[in-house]
Amino acid sequence: MNVVEQYARAQIVTDADAPQAVGRGAVSVMLYYDAERDPRTVRVRLPGLAHREWALPRELLERGLRTPVGSGDVQVWPCGRVQTVVEFHSAQVVSVVEFETKALTRFLRRTYAAAAAAEPVPH
C-alpha cells in the first residue's frame, strides 16, 4: 500500500467563535497522501469536534515552503526560516495552520517515495 499518514504538530487559528473551535496551543494535525488513489493531492485533517479535511495539490504545498502561493481556497507561504503557514477558506470558516517546515518537508519526501513505489515497473 502506498499511503503516507503523518501527524504534525501545528498551531491553528480559526475565525470560528464556536466552543468547538480549536484553542490556542499546538495540536496534532494529520497529513495524508494516497499514491494510488490521488497521486497529485495531499490532505490535511484538522482536529476538533467537527473534523475538517482539506485537499490541496502536493505541488502547491511544496512551492509554498519557499514562496507565497495560492490556489482557490488554499494559500501557503513560508513564515521565517522554520515555519510554513497554510490558510484554508470555506463558506463557514477560515483556518490558518502554522507548521514547522521540517515536518512538511519530511512528509513531502515520504509522498515522493510512495509515488515512486506505486509506479509500474517497466518490463
Side-chain angles (χ1 to χ4, degrees), residues 47-102:
L49 292 178
H51 287 282
R52 295 179 303 273
E53 180 175 288
W54 298 86
L56 63 145
R58 182 172 58 167
E59 178 189 356
L60 181 79
L61 181 59
E62 184 172 21
R63 287 184 26 229
L65 299 178
R66 297 179 305 278
T67 188
V69 295
S71 176
D73 295 336
V74 180
Q75 308 293 315
V76 183
W77 66 90
C79 183
R81 292 171 30 191
V82 297
Q83 302 291 320
T84 299
V85 175
V86 184
E87 183 175 284
F88 302 103
H89 293 257
S90 74
Q92 297 82 22
V93 68
V94 173
S95 295
V96 179
V97 185
E98 186 176 285
F99 292 95
E100 286 188 15
T101 301
K102 67 181 177 180

Side-chain angles (χ1 to χ4, degrees), residues 7-47:
Y7 282 97
R9 300 292 291 166
Q11 299 282 337
I12 299 177
V13 178
T14 181
D15 66 355
D17 295 326
Q20 70 266 22
V22 176
R24 301 190 195 285
V27 297
S28 290
V29 173
M30 169 62 81
L31 304 172
Y32 179 84
Y33 175 76
D34 187 331
E36 292 176 9
R37 290 181 125 177
D38 199 354
R40 294 184 180 161
T41 302
V42 296
R43 298 184 181 285
V44 178
R45 295 179 185 153
L46 304 181

